[in-house]
Amino acid sequence: MRKRPVLLAGVASLLLTTSPAVAAERVAEDNAAAEDGSAQSDITVTARRRAETAQSVPLAISVIGGDAIERTGAFNVNRLTQLAPTLQFYSSNPRNSAANIRGLGAPFGLTNDGIEQGVGIYVDDVYYSRAASSTFDFLDVKQLEVLRGPQGTLYGKNTTAGAINITSRAPTFELEGRGEVSFGNYGFKQAKLAVSGPLSENVAARLAVSTTGRNGTVYNTNSKVWTQSQDNIGLRGQLLWRASSLVDVTLAGDYNTQNPICCGTVYYGYGATQRATARQFPALAAALNYKPASTNPYDRVTDLDTELRAKNSTGGASAKVKWQVGKGTVTSITAWRFWNWDPSNDRDFTGLPITSLSQNPSKQNQFTQELRYGLSSRNLDLQIGAFAFNQSVHTTGTQQQGAAASVFLLSSAQITAACNASPATCANGSSGILNGLTAKNDIRLNNTSLALYSQASWKVTDRFTVQPGVRLNYDQKKGWYNSVVTNGAGTQVFTSSTNNALLSAQAGVLASQQFAPKFSDWNFSYDLTLSYRLADDIRAYATYSKTFKSGGINLNGVPSDANGNPLLAAATVKPESVQHLEAGVKSQFFNRKLTLNLSAFRTDIDNYQAQVTNGALGVLRGYLANAEKVRTEGVEIDSSFRLNDRFNVYGNAAYTDAKYRQFTTAPCPPELSGGTTVTGTQTPGVAGVAGALSPASCNISGQRLPGVSRWAYSWGGEYNLPAHLLGKDGEVYVGYDGSYRSAFSSNPSLSAYTWIHGYALHNIRAGYRVDQGIDVFGWVRNLTGTNYIELLTVASGNTGLIAAQLGDPRTYGATVKFQF
């Protein structure tokens, strides 16, 4: 019953009201009304590598302009999810980040350098291979487009779930500038400045800089500091050289850095597992005289005892050449990017020294080269492209167990046996068994991808268009995984160390492993879109895509066989085979004042890349494998109504039903884990009953995919009145943006303990602005102070401990923007 008013509000707004960008603004070049003043121009997009109106593009696309991004406070991809209902973003820290569209993208709950992101992120035509880049502030953005569905025949890197296409503001040959300064509670400070102008008759430059700082929102009683802070700096420069009337050359470079106190969790609760009662969290905490800083997560208090560090920097340089050749255009984009990651995490989620050190710094370099030819004529639009990508990643890190690890992670029988085998180790108690157990990791990846792609739009008649596309792709991945585990005495620990009770107990927690996985494969994919203009402002389309997501390699460790050797069959992951169907209608009414777009989709995936565990193989950690079949299907509505220059509203809705059609060897939820693994004809015990037998794996066919809300809405609008202040004619305005997402699972397999309840967020703003001048406004985000969870995490060891990552509390502040 509590959900019903929120749902009805979202539906009602749809009846009145495309994306927030349509409601909030128009692209600068298209912002003027038609000559007769009766109609608004359409938003211009470049989703298909050519300028065209959003309503003429036969695909589901959300368009958000730079001013709308700034007004709504959506300064990174995570904030963007409140405006685009089908976009989900999950991040326990910048490295462990994933963007999903319609429930697809990257496996939920596991970071692995050896797999592809299903959602491509492009900034000025340059592919960003690391999801960490999406945690940085948007910098001098002109427009952002979220493309839903496969985009492999149009974009350089294959993307099976969709793409986020970001376009920066370009250098200008007239001097101009824009900036903003914001202040808010929690010590929030943000400043942005961009200046553009000519250096000569044929050379123009643009420079943009931004900085964001905010105190933390969760207090750590152990370190006496506030965590979840923000500390971002961004810099971007562009140089445009108009070499001739036919050739433009754009050089760009950027650098972004983050150094927050991040990313911590709070105690969320406990859920009974099948581990012995004495080895579950309540008993273990009592034995160690430990109490969480608070058992109410919304007190925003934690007691993590390991340093929290999330140093993150990324940047690069690119050269884009556009050359008019006859009736077509040749475009070359050459780019290099880097990413450096220096973390420190508390992976036991408590104030106890269980995992006392968890840090895996990583460095990446990537090179891309894209060459494409575009031709637009009266009856044919054509894009032909070639793309080359090389990525090298090197991760070196350390995980170390602390003094409380033995009690938390070992059974009493293991402790007794280990102490009997090595009395000196237990001279000062059992803590010596695992204390100092250290894994030093050396992980490497070289990833190469080559592709040829093409897409054509043939206007068979003035109303009917046929759009076929093809892609030929080659992928090669070479990896190296070497984890050297030593105990407190300096002895190396192997999985095969079963003849010594001490080493055997240690190997059950961390064990040395080394392997060199390889993967390579060719793939051919294609799509076909048919579109028909039913009336001047009504267009219907239908798409079929047969595509793929590249295979991968496991770089987080794999199960071992009976002899302690890594199972190399589990070191590689098959490509996903994707079949996608979509149909939609794009329409405008009342002289284009009302926009109403509808799309329905269904995507079937064979060999879906998912996180798995298998107790029968003695797995110590999650790894990637292929689920047999997955399907996601749903309906999306984007709508807006612009009555006049004074009043506009928008409403978006998405229904997504994403489930495993067949997944027979999935990881089990915590309530079916922790006990002795069944063998032979044994029957698993009852869920959540201490000491019961646990299944080796679980059949979760028919269950929902994690992280996906069935229902998601966004709605809002803006109203303004003319005003004359400080000798200037302007307007006073008030704006509102709301969003809602229904409950979703935060565990790879559905668990009664890890459902995140649905929640609604409300943001408001009010201010005064002068066109192309000053804009002063106040804002409140999460107006109602809604307590909500972004992510729940089940602690390792099957103790039943569950930790939470909290969403932001209510924040408020003021912003001053200016242009010249």
Side-chain angles (χ1 to χ4, degrees):
M1 291 297 294
R2 290 193 301 269
K3 298 178 182 178
R4 186 173 297 173
V6 176
L7 299 179
L8 291 176
V11 173
S13 67
L14 290 174
L15 296 176
L16 294 175
T17 70
T18 78
S19 102
V22 178
E25 63 172 296
R26 302 294 181 183
V27 177
E29 296 84 350
D30 302 297
N31 198 33
E35 289 185 5
D36 62 0
S38 61
Q40 294 288 339
S41 301
D42 281 314
I43 288 180
T44 298
V45 298
T46 57
R48 296 197 294 177
R49 305 309 192 190
R50 55 184 181 270
E52 55 191 338
T53 63
Q55 287 300 106
S56 68
V57 179
L59 61 84
I61 178 173
S62 298
V63 188
I64 304 174
D67 286 342
I69 290 171
E70 293 165 358
R71 291 171 188 166
T72 58
F75 56 81
N76 58 28
V77 174
N78 189 17
R79 294 286 187 93
L80 190 65
T81 60
Q82 295 182 30
L83 301 178
T86 57
L87 175 66
Q88 301 97 31
F89 186 82
Y90 307 101
S91 178
S92 57
N93 59 47
R95 183 177 185 267
N96 294 9
S97 300
N100 287 359
I101 294 176
R102 295 171 170 173
L104 303 176
F108 184 88
L110 179 68
T111 298
N112 192 317
D113 291 328
I115 62 166
E116 304 285 351
Q117 299 291 325
V119 175
I121 298 175
Y122 296 85
V123 180
D124 296 333
D125 290 344
V126 175
Y127 174 68
Y128 282 37
S129 62
R130 299 301 313 203
S133 62
S134 57
T135 67
F136 287 97
D137 293 357
F138 294 136
L139 181 58
D140 202 22
V141 170
K142 172 186 174 183
Q143 184 165 291
L144 185 148
E145 302 159 4
V146 180
L147 288 68
R148 284 112 70 180
Q151 305 297 326
T153 65
L154 194 61
Y155 282 74
K157 197 71 174 72
N158 190 49
T159 54
T160 56
I164 300 173
N165 185 36
I166 301 172
T167 303
S168 302
R169 294 185 174 95
T172 60
F173 283 89
E174 292 184 0
L175 180 64
E176 68 171 38
R178 57 193 299 136
E180 67 175 79
V181 178
S182 300
F183 297 94
N185 62 334
Y186 292 99
F188 176 77
K189 297 180 291 292
Q190 186 174 68
K192 298 180 180 181
L193 178 66
V195 179
S196 181
L199 300 181
S200 68
E201 289 186 356
N202 58 356
V203 177
R206 188 176 190 95
L207 182 65
V209 62
S210 74
T211 176
T212 302
R214 192 195 71 183
N215 300 330
T217 58
V218 175
Y219 184 68
N220 190 327
T221 60
N222 201 318
S223 62
K224 311 300 181 186
V225 300
W226 289 86
T227 70
Q228 317 306 86
S229 64
Q230 295 175 359
D231 184 4
N232 307 339
I233 296 176
L235 179 67
R236 182 176 184 82
Q238 298 180 76
L239 197 66
L240 171 60
W241 173 37
R242 290 197 165 150
S244 73
S245 61
L246 301 178
V247 178
D248 277 0
V249 179
T250 303
L251 305 178
D254 68 281
Y255 176 77
N256 300 270
T257 182
Q258 294 177 328
N259 188 19
I261 301 173
C262 183
C263 299
T265 58
V266 298
Y267 175 89
Y268 180 76
Y270 157 74
T273 73
Q274 293 178 323
R275 208 178 191 199
T277 300
R279 299 178 63 212
Q280 297 200 35
F281 182 76
L284 294 170
L288 292 168
N289 196 28
Y290 171 74
K291 292 182 179 180
S294 173
T295 56
N296 179 2
Y298 303 116
D299 285 342
R300 295 186 172 271
V301 175
T302 189
D303 63 352
L304 304 180
D305 62 333
T306 299
E307 177 192 4
L308 297 180
R309 186 172 67 249
K311 292 183 179 180
N312 191 21
S313 62
T314 186
S318 65
K320 179 192 290 187
V321 180
K322 297 186 71 174
W323 179 22
Q324 186 82 26
V325 180
K327 294 182 179 181
T329 303
V330 174
T331 304
S332 171
I333 306 108
T334 305
W336 160 77
R337 297 203 60 76
F338 74 89
W339 174 67
N340 295 329
W341 168 236
D342 181 13
S344 177
N345 307 296
D346 194 323
R347 286 302 179 202
D348 58 60
F349 311 117
T350 71
L352 292 167
I354 301 169
T355 300
S356 56
L357 189 63
S358 178
Q359 52 185 29
N360 284 277
S362 189
K363 294 185 177 182
Q364 175 203 287
N365 281 279
Q366 75 164 57
F367 297 89
T368 56
Q369 174 62 56
E370 187 169 4
L371 184 66
R372 61 176 185 258
Y373 174 74
L375 173 67
S376 292
S377 64
R378 180 176 179 180
N379 295 319
L380 180 67
D381 292 324
L382 177 67
Q383 289 284 334
I384 301 174
F387 179 76
F389 166 83
N390 181 262
Q391 172 194 37
S392 60
V393 182
H394 188 197
T395 301
T396 56
T398 305
Q399 178 176 330
Q400 188 173 79
Q401 304 306 122
S406 301
V407 173
F408 254 75
L409 302 178
L410 300 178
S411 68
S412 57
Q414 287 176 304
I415 292 174
T416 299
C419 289
N420 288 337
S422 178
T425 301
C426 300
N428 296 316
S430 62
S431 63
I433 300 174
L434 294 183
N435 192 21
L437 184 69
T438 305
K440 293 186 176 181
N441 305 315
D442 183 1
I443 306 170
R444 301 168 190 256
L445 168 71
N446 188 275
N447 180 11
T448 299
S449 181
L450 306 172
L452 296 172
Y453 62 91
S454 180
Q455 187 179 97
S457 292
W458 174 35
K459 301 177 182 67
V460 181
T461 69
D462 289 343
R463 293 183 177 272
F464 180 52
T465 302
V466 177
Q467 179 182 289
V470 294
R471 180 185 184 90
L472 180 64
N473 209 93
Y474 174 74
D475 289 287
Q476 180 189 78
K477 295 181 176 68
K478 295 180 179 179
W480 170 253
Y481 180 85
N482 184 27
S483 182
V484 177
V485 177
T486 55
N487 59 23
T491 303
Q492 189 168 356
V493 178
F494 298 92
T495 303
S496 56
S497 306
T498 56
N499 58 343
N500 181 296
L502 174 64
L503 295 178
S504 178
Q506 293 168 343
V509 176
L510 293 173
S512 300
Q513 191 174 80
Q514 182 186 104
F515 60 97
K518 295 181 180 180
F519 170 86
S520 63
D521 195 17
W522 289 88
N523 284 100
F524 177 74
S525 56
Y526 54 89
D527 56 43
L528 177 65
T529 298
L530 305 177
S531 64
Y532 189 81
R533 188 160 52 88
L534 301 172
D536 286 347
D537 292 319
I538 302 176
R539 182 184 301 271
Y541 67 91
T543 297
Y544 171 75
S545 300
K546 178 68 173 70
T547 185
F548 73 99
K549 181 178 174 183
S550 172
I553 56 179
N554 270 304
L555 291 176
N556 276 7
V558 295
S560 298
D561 62 19
N563 298 317
N565 299 314
L567 287 173
L568 297 183
T572 58
V573 186
K574 297 177 184 177
E576 293 182 353
S577 178
V578 181
Q579 293 192 70
H580 175 76
L581 287 167
E582 183 163 342
V585 176
K586 293 191 165 186
S587 58
Q588 291 182 308
F589 305 95
F590 309 123
N591 206 14
R592 298 185 179 178
K593 289 182 171 61
L594 173 65
T595 299
L596 182 63
N597 297 336
L598 173 68
S599 59
F601 65 90
R602 172 172 164 173
T603 305
D604 286 280
I605 302 177
D606 292 342
N607 294 320
Y608 176 80
Q609 295 168 2
Q611 181 184 359
V612 302
T613 57
N614 192 326
L617 299 175
V619 175
L620 304 179
R621 59 181 67 82
Y623 66 103
L624 285 174
N626 295 105
E628 296 92 328
K629 294 180 183 296
V630 159
R631 173 182 292 168
T632 178
E633 54 191 353
V635 178
E636 299 161 344
I637 300 174
D638 300 308
S639 63
S640 70
F641 179 63
R642 178 179 288 271
L643 178 64
N644 51 42
D645 290 340
R646 300 296 173 204
F647 177 71
N648 64 79
V649 290
Y650 71 87
N652 307 322
Y655 169 78
T656 306
D657 183 19
K659 63 179 60 175
Y660 297 104
R661 290 186 59 209
Q662 186 179 354
F663 194 3
T664 56
T665 56
C668 291
E671 56 263 43
L672 282 170
S673 304
T676 302
T677 304
V678 297
T679 59
T681 59
Q682 289 181 320
T683 301
V686 178
V689 174
L693 293 175
S694 297
S697 61
C698 288
N699 184 346
I700 62 171
S701 301
Q703 289 188 9
R704 288 167 57 182
L705 263 62
V708 184
S709 296
R710 271 211 173 97
W711 294 96
Y713 303 97
S714 65
W715 64 91
E718 186 174 292
Y719 179 72
N720 67 74
L721 288 172
H724 185 82
L725 294 174
L726 303 176
K728 297 286 186 179
D729 289 326
E731 55 191 29
V732 176
Y733 65 92
V734 59
Y736 163 77
D737 300 283
S739 63
Y740 171 79
R741 64 178 304 185
S742 62
F744 62 94
S745 169
S746 189
N747 198 63
S749 298
L750 296 189
S751 169
Y753 308 143
T754 57
W755 278 97
I756 293 179
H757 302 298
Y759 57 87
L761 299 175
H762 308 274
N763 306 325
I764 61 170
R765 61 189 180 277
Y768 171 75
R769 60 177 171 238
V770 177
D771 187 36
Q772 301 299 313
I774 300 292
D775 186 356
V776 181
F777 62 96
W779 44 265
V780 183
R781 293 160 192 151
N782 190 4
L783 174 67
T784 56
T786 299
N787 289 321
Y788 67 101
I789 303 293
E790 290 191 337
L791 204 63
L792 289 176
T793 303
V794 178
S796 61
N798 297 303
T799 65
L801 173 63
I802 301 170
Q805 185 166 316
L806 299 175
D808 278 350
R810 180 192 297 112
T811 58
Y812 53 85
T815 297
V816 178
K817 298 174 60 177
F818 60 88
Q819 296 185 51
F820 60 85

